[in-house]
Amino acid sequence: MSGTYVAAFYLGGTAAGLAYPPFLHLGVAWGLGLAGLVTASAAALAGRAVRD
């Protein structure tokens, strides 16, 4: 189980590192919006996983 956590942690960090650079020049508001969207998506997916 801990191997899954470690893999997800590093894969998530890699995905985030690849996803945010195109948005750097857009400013703080866009960055916060993107972070909010990702957080809301993660919360929705986690809710579905817990229910199933």
Side-chain angles (χ1 to χ4, degrees), residues 16-42:
L18 293 173
Y20 82 88
F23 298 95
L24 286 176
H25 71 281
L26 297 176
V28 174
W30 280 95
L32 289 174
L34 178 62
L37 179 65
V38 168
T39 303
S41 298

Side-chain angles (χ1 to χ4, degrees), residues 5-15:
Y5 171 78
V6 171
F9 178 82
Y10 284 107
L11 288 172
T14 300

